[in-house]
Amino acid sequence: MLLLVEIAAFSARSPAFLTAGNISNLLAFTPELGMITLGMTLLMTAGEFDLSVGSVFGFAPIVMWTLYNTHVAPLEIGFVVAILFAVIIGLANGWFVTYLKIPSFLVTLGMLLVVRGIALYVTDGFPQRTWTSESPLMKILVGEIAFFDLRIYASLLWFILFAVILGYVLTESKVGNWIQAAGGNPEAARARGVRVARTKIALFVLTAVISAYAGITSSIRVSAANPNSGTQYELEVIAMVVIGGTALTGGRGTIIGTVLGVLILRTMRDGIVLIGVPGLAYNIFIGGIILAMMALHSWLERRHHAGT
C-alpha cells in the first residue's frame, strides 16, 4: 500500500517520475542494494546484525580490479579472489560473535573500519581508474537488455533469482526453521539439536559474499571501483529489512517483505529528488522510519505478550 501511495504521489508531482529513463535508473541501482538486504534479512532473523556490509561492498571490487589492472590475474580469477576475501570476512565475523560471544554490533563495527581502511590504503583513497575488459563475466553479471527506451541490467534478474531462492530457504526449508529458531530462542533451539553457532556463521558468510557480489556488479555498471563506495549502506539496508517486517530482536523475517522495503525506500529516494527535496534529506526519512518501525515492533510485541 505504501509503495502504491508513493508512486501515485510522486507521479502527480513530477511528470518525469514514470518515464522510461527514470525507471531504468531506478531499476539499475535497486538490485545492487537489494541483494545485500536479502542476506541481512536472514541474518537479522537469526538475531544478528552486520554493519560491515557497506565496507565489503566497496572492498570487493577494489580487490578484483586491482588484480586485473596490475595484470596479476584475469578478471575471472580476480572475481573469485574477491569472493574468497568476503568468505574470510564472514567467517571472522561469525567466529567472533559465536565463539568469543562478542555482540555482532561491536564485531561488525570493527570489521567495517578494518575493511574500509584496507580499501583506502590499497588505493591511497582514490577510485580505481576506468578499464576495458572483454571478459564475458561482465555481461553475465551486468549485461544490458533494452526494451525500446527502457534499459534493464542482468543484475535485476540475479536479484530476483536470489530473492526466490532465499525466500524458499527461509520459509519452506528446514534451514529456514533453524534460522528462525536461532533468532527466536537460541537456547531452546540448541536443546532441540539446532547448531546455532554454525547457522549464524553460515549467515555471516552469506551476507558478506552477497555484499561483495553486489559491489562487484555496481563497479562494472558504473566503470569505477571507489574505496568509499557503500558508505552508510548498512543503515539503509537495516531500514529496508525492518520496513519489510523482519523483527529487530530476531525470530521473524520475510524476503517478500524485504523486497517491498527495498522498493519503498528506493522509490522514496528517487521521488524526493525529482520533486525538489534535497537528497541529503533522505537520511531524515531513514532515521525516522527506523525509529517508527522500532516503536511499532515494540508495541506489537507487548500486545502479543499481553494476549498470551
Side-chain angles (χ1 to χ4, degrees):
M1 178 61 73
L2 180 56
L3 179 61
L4 295 177
V5 171
E6 282 185 344
I7 293 174
F10 291 136
S11 300
R13 290 291 303 276
S14 174
F17 182 74
L18 287 181
T19 60
N22 186 57
I23 294 174
S24 297
N25 291 332
L26 187 63
L27 294 180
F29 182 75
T30 296
E32 295 161 4
L33 199 60
M35 290 179 196
I36 308 176
T37 66
L38 301 177
M40 187 72 84
T41 298
L42 270 63
L43 187 60
M44 288 178 61
T45 301
E48 305 294 348
F49 290 91
D50 188 348
L51 299 180
S52 66
V53 291
S55 294
V56 176
F57 180 95
F59 174 71
I62 293 295
V63 173
M64 183 179 77
W65 289 108
T66 296
L67 293 175
Y68 177 76
N69 287 333
T70 56
H71 308 291
V72 173
L75 195 66
E76 294 81 3
I77 299 299
F79 173 79
V80 172
V81 172
I83 295 299
L84 289 176
F85 269 106
V87 171
I88 293 171
I89 292 170
L91 287 171
N93 283 335
W95 185 78
F96 274 101
V97 170
T98 58
Y99 289 99
L100 296 187
K101 307 299 180 183
I102 304 174
S104 57
F105 177 86
L106 298 176
V107 169
T108 56
L109 178 60
M111 188 62 74
L112 178 158
L113 298 173
V114 170
V115 173
R116 183 72 71 191
I118 294 174
L120 290 168
Y121 178 78
V122 169
T123 61
D124 290 326
F126 293 99
Q128 288 276 354
R129 65 178 175 83
T130 56
W131 53 78
T132 57
S133 174
E134 300 300 326
S135 171
L137 179 67
M138 297 180 70
K139 293 184 178 180
I140 293 173
L141 298 183
V142 199
E144 184 178 332
I145 306 169
F147 294 98
F148 300 100
D149 293 331
L150 183 65
R151 291 177 293 104
I152 296 177
Y153 291 95
S155 54
L156 177 62
L157 304 180
W158 286 113
F159 171 55
I160 294 172
L161 177 62
F162 293 158
V164 170
I165 293 173
L166 295 181
Y168 176 83
V169 168
L170 185 58
T171 59
E172 303 294 335
S173 71
K174 182 185 295 185
V175 174
N177 292 332
W178 293 349
I179 294 170
Q180 295 179 60
N185 192 332
E187 296 304 324
R190 289 189 187 92
R192 295 182 179 181
V194 175
R195 296 180 174 179
V196 174
R198 291 188 181 183
T199 299
K200 291 187 176 184
I201 290 174
L203 294 178
F204 274 110
V205 171
L206 171 66
T207 304
V209 167
I210 205 168
S211 299
Y213 182 92
I216 290 170
T217 59
S218 178
S219 72
I220 294 172
R221 181 178 62 83
V222 302
S223 298
N226 191 329
N228 288 306
S229 180
T231 301
Q232 294 189 350
Y233 276 12
E234 55 278 351
L235 301 180
E236 191 169 355
V237 165
I238 290 173
M240 291 173 173
V241 175
V242 170
I243 289 173
T246 297
L248 287 165
T249 54
R252 184 176 70 252
T254 163
I255 292 294
I256 294 177
T258 292
V259 171
L260 290 175
V262 171
L263 294 175
I264 288 170
L265 283 193
R266 294 312 306 169
T267 301
M268 179 186 296
R269 165 166 280 191
D270 183 73
I272 63 176
V273 172
L274 287 177
I275 64 176
V277 178
L280 294 177
Y282 178 68
N283 291 333
I284 300 174
F285 291 97
I286 290 291
I289 288 172
I290 290 176
L291 291 173
M293 294 306 297
M294 289 177 65
L296 177 60
H297 283 310
S298 177
W299 178 75
L300 291 174
E301 288 295 326
R302 290 198 305 270
R303 184 177 180 183
H304 173 73
H305 291 305
T308 56

